[in-house]
Amino acid sequence: MITTTELTKRYGNFTALDSLTMQIDKGTVFGFVGPNGAGKSTTMSILATLLNPTSGSAQVGGYDVTEKPKEVRKLIGYMPDFFGVYDNFKATEYLDFYGASYGISRADRMKLIPQLLDLVNLTEKADFYVDSLSRGMKQRLCLARCLVHEPEVLILDEPASGLDPRARIEMREILKELKAMGKTIIISSHILPELAEMVDEIGVIEYGKLIAKGKVSDIQSRMKANRVLQVRMANRAEEAVVYLQQQPHVTMVLQDEKGLHVHFGGTDEDQTNLLARLIQNGFPLLSFSEALTNLEDVFLEITKGGGAHDEQQVKLD
Ligand SMILES: Nc1ncnc2c1ncn2[C@@H]1O[C@H](COP(=O)(O)OP(=O)(O)OP(=O)(O)O)[C@@H](O)[C@H]1O
């Protein structure tokens, strides 16, 4: 549904986007992650036909964004990271204005607007002035605005930025509904862990280059190759350290007040076998578990050494 080929954008001598090649299939929710200034907004603006690439190409729904921008615009709903809302409109009037500008008939708008307000949980605010709405509500209204022409593809640039945790959860639930409706969604964020439930794939961008892309589950299993097992023993911990260090796939064993931390490079089956051997050897296990791998770990692991600019910038929240 979305394809970019060697997509490049330069501002003078500065390369903001560097030969970005990627493909996002129909119905996929694609999380676009990277530190500030990595090139996410630049990519999204090009896909939204608002910015021309310096070289390379991008297609949405088979249409080239520079050659067929009108066709692309019909297919996409774009939510920029900074958006203006017209404060002297009521929420309903705001959506009505956008619906009309897309050429949707008044009769259809009257049907559509209550549905959109319901989708973004703003039915009760239908007759409230936009400037009286909270930031989270304004952001949801902006999302509704992107949906007036029922686009197949949503390009959402940091839709949850600046929202408090409750408002983020609300936004996430709406995005889940949009995914269930079959939309193809590309969404950028610094708070990837919160998107984990709804993102099918992630792309990690840094210095304008796509440094990793793949299914969330694949990337997590890549990290599993370096999993850490947490083992708690009733006693005989010192003996267990020596025993574990001699076992296949164990690369390191650390011990602290919480127990043993076993760095393990084996498969799930190898892990089962290791547990069986500990039990067979009579070690008094209180617990044996795998340290959870979340998307934040995945992100940090992938960008490690890749030049994450500073701690502040790779911070995900
Ligand atoms: N109009 C412009 N002129 C010059 N440089 C620009 C322009 N727009 C963006 N840049 C630069 O291009 C780089 C990529 O910016 P972009 O906004 O795409 O990053 P981003 O990943 O979206 O970051 P953020 O998460 O902060 O929004 C940045 O270094 C930015 O300063």
Side-chain angles (χ1 to χ4, degrees), residues 177-301:
E177 279 187 55
L178 293 168
K179 172 181 160 69
M181 289 160 75
K183 309 267 185 209
T184 306
I185 306 174
I186 171 165
I187 175 167
S188 70
S189 181
H190 291 106
I191 48 166
L192 188 65
E194 293 205 350
L195 300 179
E197 280 176 45
M198 53 157 296
V199 173
D200 304 311
E201 285 187 48
I202 59 169
V204 181
I205 185 169
E206 219 180 43
Y207 296 124
K209 282 185 193 291
L210 192 70
I211 58 168
K213 175 181 180 291
K215 290 201 172 102
V216 171
S217 53
D218 288 348
I219 294 175
Q220 279 176 325
S221 42
R222 233 168 75 191
M223 284 198 65
K224 268 195 162 190
N226 297 306
R227 70 186 95 178
V228 178
L229 307 175
Q230 290 174 330
V231 183
R232 281 179 60 231
M233 317 273 297
N235 51 55
R236 291 174 63 196
E238 306 297 336
E239 200 186 325
V241 170
V242 175
Y243 178 80
L244 283 164
Q245 279 168 340
Q246 293 163 356
Q247 298 307 302
H249 312 294
V250 172
T251 51
M252 184 166 53
V253 183
L254 301 172
Q255 186 179 6
D256 64 15
E257 68 285 355
K258 289 185 192 147
L260 310 182
H261 305 271
V262 183
H263 290 242
F264 188 72
T267 61
D268 283 352
E269 199 185 343
D270 298 326
Q271 184 176 326
T272 314
N273 292 337
L274 179 66
L275 174 60
R277 285 198 300 279
L278 283 168
I279 293 167
Q280 277 159 13
N281 281 278
F283 286 106
L285 291 176
L286 288 173
S287 66
F288 181 97
S289 60
E290 194 177 316
L292 284 180
T293 305
N294 64 28
L295 280 177
E296 187 164 349
D297 292 334
V298 175
F299 178 90
L300 293 173
E301 179 68 23

Side-chain angles (χ1 to χ4, degrees), residues 110-130:
M110 292 303 102
K111 269 189 262 163
L112 182 68
I113 290 169
Q115 290 168 7
L116 287 175
L117 287 171
D118 181 44
L119 179 73
V120 298
N121 302 328
L122 286 177
T123 302
E124 284 170 17
K125 302 289 178 185
D127 293 320
F128 280 56
Y129 280 99
V130 171

Side-chain angles (χ1 to χ4, degrees), residues 11 14 16 35-42 81 158 190:
Y11 296 105
F14 178 73
N36 292 319
K40 305 180 296 290
S41 297
T42 301
D81 53 351
E158 306 254 4
H190 291 106

Side-chain angles (χ1 to χ4, degrees), residues 23-142:
Q23 191 182 324
I24 302 171
D25 294 334
K26 193 173 164 61
T28 299
V29 181
F30 183 84
F32 208 23
V33 197
N36 292 319
K40 305 180 296 290
S41 297
T42 301
T43 309
M44 290 176 141
S45 301
I46 293 173
L47 292 174
T49 76
L50 298 173
L51 192 66
N52 280 328
T54 310
S55 62
S57 64
Q59 285 86 33
V60 178
Y63 295 109
D64 189 282
V65 294
T66 43
E67 287 165 15
K68 300 276 181 196
K70 278 191 189 156
E71 277 74 6
V72 171
R73 281 176 209 153
K74 282 182 207 152
L75 284 178
I76 62 163
Y78 170 58
M79 183 170 168
D81 53 351
F82 296 103
F83 52 87
V85 277
Y86 299 97
D87 288 346
N88 53 347
F89 275 142
K90 291 177 181 169
T92 302
E93 292 167 346
Y94 178 76
L95 294 178
D96 193 49
F97 171 79
Y98 275 94
S101 62
Y102 272 103
I104 298 165
S105 74
R106 188 173 160 71
D108 286 345
R109 295 197 312 266
M110 292 303 102
K111 269 189 262 163
L112 182 68
I113 290 169
Q115 290 168 7
L116 287 175
L117 287 171
D118 181 44
L119 179 73
V120 298
N121 302 328
L122 286 177
T123 302
E124 284 170 17
K125 302 289 178 185
D127 293 320
F128 280 56
Y129 280 99
V130 171
D131 69 350
S132 72
L133 302 179
S134 69
R135 184 182 169 113
M137 290 173 191
K138 281 184 186 168
Q139 234 140 317
R140 297 205 306 270
L141 186 64
C142 187

